[in-house]
Amino acid sequence: MAMLEPSGSMDEIDGKQRADTVDLNDSDLVIDISDALSEKDKVKFTVHTKTKLPNFQNSEFSVSRQHEEFIWLHDRFNESEEYAGLIIPPAPTRPDFDSSRAKLQKLSDSESTLTKEEYDKMKQELEAEYLAMFKKTVSMHEVFLQRLAAHPVLRNDNNFRVFLEYKEDLSVRGKNAREQISGFFKTLTKTADEVLLTNQKESDEFFERQKQFLTTYNTKIKDATAAADKSTRTHKAVADTYIKVSGGLNTLATADKTDLSRYLLLLADFFEKARKLESRVQSDADLKLSDTLRYYMRDSKAALDLMYRRSRCLADFDTANKNLDRARTKNKEVQQAEAAQQNIKKKFETISEKAKDELNDFKTRRVQMFRKNLVELTELQIKHTKAQIQMIKGVLQQSETLP
Amino acid sequence: MSKDLEHRNSPPDFGDDDDDDNKDDDQMYKSARLPATDDVPLSEDEDEENPFGETVEKKNPPATNVLSSSNEASLQISPVTPIAVLEPQPSTLTEQEHQTFPSDPAISTANSLESPISTTSAVTTKSQVKHVEDPNIEIIVSDPTKVGEGMSSYMTYRITTKTSLAMFKKTDFSVNRRFSDFLGLHNKLIHKHLQMGVILPAPPEKDSLSMAKVKISKEEAIPSDFIDRRRSQLERYLNRLARHKTLVQDPDFREFIEMPGDLPKANNTQALSGAGVLRALSNITNQVTKLTTKTSEQDQWFEEKHSFIVDLHTHLKNLFNQLNLLFNQRKEAGQALKALSTSLNHLATIEEHTLLSSALIELANVEEKLEQTINDHSLKEYTVISELIKEYISLLEMVQLAFQERIKIHQQWLQAEDTLRKKRETKTKLEQTPKGADKLPQVEMEINEWEGKVIRGKDDFERITNSIKQEIEVFEQTRIDDFKKAFDMYLKQFLEQQEKILEIWESYLPEANKINL
């Protein structure tokens, strides 16, 4: 169905530079999604890589990937012990065009109750919405890969290389029922575990503070994301109603044989123009504010996951210590216990050390991204508002030329 | 005029309905009962705006900053449109700008000098000037006050008139009136003028439910939006009356605005504000009676006009509903902004990075300010456009009422002719019988009587026909002027709102830029 143009023309529409959302300070590995194709229920992303790194076969190449393969990659990172001390970039959400499709369906159902103009306009609106959602999902998938590429450790992962390079399908089928259920239980267990660990004694002040901060932050930002989404929705509804008002004015204009008719037409046109501008305002607010909030909601959750892993490790460390003491007193299997304890101690220290860096980095990234997006949000709103002002002035001028 | 002789047999547009004039007493106007949405109740928390009460003379109603700024802005940018017919609608603006009542182009150009910034000063040359009637009377309705407590309480309104018309004793005067007084006035005016072919304006409807709420509410908690809307509608009503060259001279009207002290309580206000008219109207239009086969030009005119009026009525109702929908949605959008603002504030309190935290707080402020502009704008939108449309919906019903009255009068005339014919037949018969001779004088007397009635009937019909035609002309011109002015003001308010929004975002930009690591 919809075929996306390469970044250039898309950006014209919403001015968003997808590649800028992540701090790419390295040109050794540059990834972008150069194309995306929506086919029935699937979206096929063309992942395009340019690299100077030696572990890749070529310096520039493209592969086709679907959403499930992104999830596979994320799971590989998330479940790997090696990266336990790192914040794993949140996985992109599944492309969901159901609501868009449902709306299009509803519109075509009510086609008979609308004038042709209204119908066309609303269809236009929905198509624009669809396109915007499409762009967003592409962006999400892209940012995920770019975060990985930017991370000094994660970028060297073998699975990552395979994902980027391997021409064939990764044969990652979606989880079957059993796997889904076991995945569900894993989440449950984790949550239960998290609860158990909340009372864990944390001697390190830094981590204690971080845990508190992240937990609260995650909650607050979740609220803010929901509020931002609602705001976008309600404003969009207003813009859509302009279509109706414009239609009503047009009807009045056609029925009126007096001078008023032209005035009414002018006003109908005004509402139409206002609608387009208002839609832009909302979609930019969505892109810059809502999406930023949403991203950091998910990223802060990823950070919390890190905290969890560390806590779990700490708990295991405690257990290993106890085991060691017990073994020593009983003088049984002391070496084993020692080895185990050493192992876990090392693991814990590694995690803690890496986690500190990661959490500081999280803060830096967060501040940068918010700044960038808040500034862009403001600039765009200013731009659109100025356009509205010009438009209204134009309409006023035109109205003066009327009898 | 002589053509009317032919017209007497021409088919009126509407079928006959009720038989006698007495029905008029009960057949009061009824404002539009909209199909789906009734008048949208403004939100309960909107107690701030009271645009109509606000004038340069500083009446009591709560003024807000937004209001005063909109006044200033309007002084700068509004076109200098001369007045008169345009008055009823945006009373705020006109009151401030056109304090004196320019009745000729000379004064209007003087006004244009007052608003130098107006790029639209060219407007003075618009055709509007031609159709202006002397706007030498302004009426303001203000200070809704509750009298008494509980179910027997009522609201009174202060009616302030400024006028240069000679027929009034003073140039500035005030009285207090209650809602039922308005209905009483309307009743009297209908009685006197409907038959003369006057298109009367319609006062706001009775709303027992909302009034009951007002009656039982405590002093502080009076549902002010309902009352304020009513006040605004009453003001429009009175100004429309004042603009009408016949009605402004009506003694009942003059007494209404001039006489201090209470008016005798109007009875039968139930009937006065009933739902009868619209139903009655729809009955009529279904019964078109064609009395002759010949359709005269006159009636064709009436038929076309009637059909236009009916269409316009429908379209306006639709538009009104759409605007109501818009109003509701704007309200929701405003609420969403408020919630967003709150959640951003909460986020800011937890955010560790101080500069980001401040930026978030500032953003929360931005969203809150945006919410305020949305609310302001929505209210203005309602006041300027929706209320006008609502008024016209009622006015169009009154036009239909006038048309209907003409038909009734036509019927009466025809019936008089019919009776006359029968009497003459009777006379002829009597002349042929010997016994009938003594009854002859009686019949001849009756014949005289009915000949008179026929002549009067014809005169009445001609008079009402001509009057309605003239009224329609004025009505149409007023309609054009009213709407143009309303749309113009609306666009300017929209512009104002956008300029405010621009300001808000522009002042945020440096805040956002302050964030650095």
Side-chain angles (χ1 to χ4, degrees), chain A residues 45-188:
Chain A
F45 302 96
T46 305
V47 180
H48 168 247
T49 313
K50 270 206 249 192
T51 176
K52 301 190 186 131
L53 295 178
N55 49 335
F56 288 94
Q57 279 179 11
N58 297 311
S59 56
E60 189 168 349
F61 44 90
S62 288
V63 295
S64 175
R65 291 283 173 248
Q66 289 184 34
H67 175 72
E68 287 75 21
E69 293 167 299
F70 285 76
I71 299 302
W72 169 84
L73 183 61
H74 176 260
D75 287 347
R76 301 284 75 67
F77 279 114
N78 216 16
E79 291 163 6
S80 162
E81 288 255 333
E82 202 182 327
Y83 307 125
L86 306 177
I87 297 180
I88 309 297
T93 48
R94 156 174 271 292
D96 175 28
F97 300 106
D98 284 347
S99 69
S100 232
R101 275 199 214 110
K103 278 196 214 168
L104 263 168
Q105 182 61 39
K106 210 170 111 188
L107 179 65
S108 60
D109 284 346
S110 63
E111 185 173 356
S112 49
T113 64
L114 301 167
T115 69
K116 174 152 198 322
E117 270 174 6
E118 279 179 4
Y119 178 75
D120 284 343
K121 284 183 196 161
M122 294 191 72
K123 186 145 174 275
Q124 219 179 56
E125 267 302 306
L126 280 180
E127 282 169 358
E129 217 177 274
Y130 186 92
L131 190 60
M133 278 180 54
F134 196 71
K135 281 193 235 168
K136 271 213 232 186
T137 191
V138 167
S139 167
M140 262 202 283
H141 286 75
E142 194 180 66
V143 165
F144 169 66
L145 296 177
Q146 287 169 340
R147 276 270 308 267
L148 291 168
H151 197 287
V153 175
L154 297 174
R155 64 175 10 193
N156 295 317
D157 181 84
N158 197 43
N159 288 318
F160 189 39
R161 184 185 58 79
V162 167
F163 178 93
L164 292 173
E165 219 178 24
Y166 187 61
K167 291 291 178 190
E168 309 296 321
D169 252 0
L170 292 177
S171 300
V172 172
R173 54 178 170 69
K175 300 191 177 142
N176 64 26
R178 190 160 47 95
E179 283 167 341
Q180 278 183 343
I181 293 177
S182 77
F184 173 66
F185 273 120
K186 243 207 259 175
T187 326
L188 263 187

Side-chain angles (χ1 to χ4, degrees), chain A residues 12-23:
Chain A
E12 269 171 36
I13 302 176
D14 63 12
K16 173 167 140 57
Q17 306 296 313
R18 286 177 296 135
D20 290 354
T21 52
V22 171
D23 196 13

Side-chain angles (χ1 to χ4, degrees), chain B residues 378-393:
Chain B
S378 189
L379 192 64
K380 284 185 185 157
E381 196 173 50
Y382 186 83
T383 307
V384 170
I385 303 273
S386 296
E387 259 189 16
L388 180 69
I389 291 181
K390 188 155 202 274
E391 211 191 344
Y392 266 87
I393 292 174

Side-chain angles (χ1 to χ4, degrees), chain B residues 47-51 54 59-64 67 228:
Chain B
D47 46 10
E48 57 307 314
E49 303 296 312
N50 191 352
E54 184 71 3
K59 297 259 172 276
N60 301 339
T64 66
L67 185 56
D228 194 59

Side-chain angles (χ1 to χ4, degrees), chain A residues 181-198:
Chain A
I181 293 177
S182 77
F184 173 66
F185 273 120
K186 243 207 259 175
T187 326
L188 263 187
T189 338
K190 174 162 172 269
T191 319
D193 203 19
E194 277 173 338
V195 173
L196 280 173
L197 290 174
T198 39

Side-chain angles (χ1 to χ4, degrees), chain A residues 360-377:
Chain A
N360 286 328
D361 184 52
F362 172 72
K363 181 173 176 181
T364 312
R365 269 186 299 113
R366 177 171 88 246
V367 174
Q368 271 177 347
M369 182 157 169
F370 266 94
R371 185 212 148 89
K372 177 171 183 293
N373 281 303
L374 287 180
V375 169
E376 282 177 6
L377 169 74

